[in-house]
């Protein structure tokens, strides 16, 4: 399997700036959300992280299912909820990952979500640094 490398660049002030990927597919203004005292009206790093984590975890569910010789239902959905909250120094991030796996029984769904959490690159990257709560619904 080949490696994949990409990059994105932030300009104009971080959370109140702009991000662009090297291929131009991501080309977004950033604005602080109203909940953090900003004006809103554009995306923010937490929304981008939530989207990326949800997509990555969804792929990991499919990998875990293949490994278990089962299938993930076509109408499976993965939602990543990212929380940015103050801590003693600045802020910390927490993640809630909810996988909706219609047609599976609860025990199978729970096992698949836990297996996906073990192989998902974003789960591996955050392990030990970000509190991640997993939920499987059927």
């Amino acid at each position: 399997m080949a490696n994949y490398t990409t990059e994105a660049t932030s300009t104009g002030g971080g959370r109140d700036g702009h991000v662009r990927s090297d291929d131009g597919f991501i080309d977004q203004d950033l604005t602080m959300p109203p909940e953090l005292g900003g004006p809103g009206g554009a995306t923010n790093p937490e929304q981008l992280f939530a989207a990326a984590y949800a997509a990555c975890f969804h792929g990991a569910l499919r990998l875990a299912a293949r490994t278990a010789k089962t299938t993930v239902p076509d109408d499976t959905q993965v939602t990543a909820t990212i929380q940015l909250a103050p801590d003693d120094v600045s802020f910390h991030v927490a993640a809630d990952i909810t996988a909706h796996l219609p047609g599976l029984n609860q025990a199978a769904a729970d096992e698949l979500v836990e297996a996906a959490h073990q192989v998902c690159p974003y789960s591996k990257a955050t392990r030990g640094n970000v509190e991640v709560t997993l939920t499987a619904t059927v």
Side-chain angles (χ1 to χ4, degrees), residues 58 61-62 65-66 70-78 100-104 112:
H58 202 156
L61 274 174
R62 294 195 180 283
R66 281 193 306 275
T70 188
T71 58
V72 173
D74 288 339
D75 52 351
T76 295
Q77 295 180 8
V78 175
H100 180 61
L101 299 152
L104 295 183
L112 198 55

Side-chain angles (χ1 to χ4, degrees), residues 6-9 18-30 43 48 52:
T6 188
E7 67 181 43
T9 301
H18 192 88
V19 291
R20 187 176 193 287
S21 62
D22 56 350
D23 59 9
F25 286 119
I26 297 173
D27 193 1
Q28 296 280 257
D29 288 331
L30 300 174
T43 194
L48 295 170

Side-chain angles (χ1 to χ4, degrees), residues 97-110:
I97 306 296
T98 302
H100 180 61
L101 299 152
L104 295 183
N105 67 52
Q106 189 64 53
D110 290 341

Side-chain angles (χ1 to χ4, degrees), residues 65-138:
R66 281 193 306 275
T67 301
K69 306 227 184 305
T70 188
T71 58
V72 173
D74 288 339
D75 52 351
T76 295
Q77 295 180 8
V78 175
T79 302
T81 303
I82 302 299
Q83 179 185 53
L84 182 68
D87 62 18
D88 293 340
V89 179
S90 62
F91 290 89
H92 72 272
V93 173
D96 293 322
I97 306 296
T98 302
H100 180 61
L101 299 152
L104 295 183
N105 67 52
Q106 189 64 53
D110 290 341
E111 286 180 26
L112 198 55
V113 166
E114 184 54 43
H117 187 51
Q118 296 309 308
V119 299
C120 173
Y122 278 56
S123 291
K124 288 179 183 181
T126 60
R127 193 164 289 126
N129 297 308
V130 173
E131 181 183 334
V132 177
T133 303
L134 302 173
T135 304
T137 64
V138 294

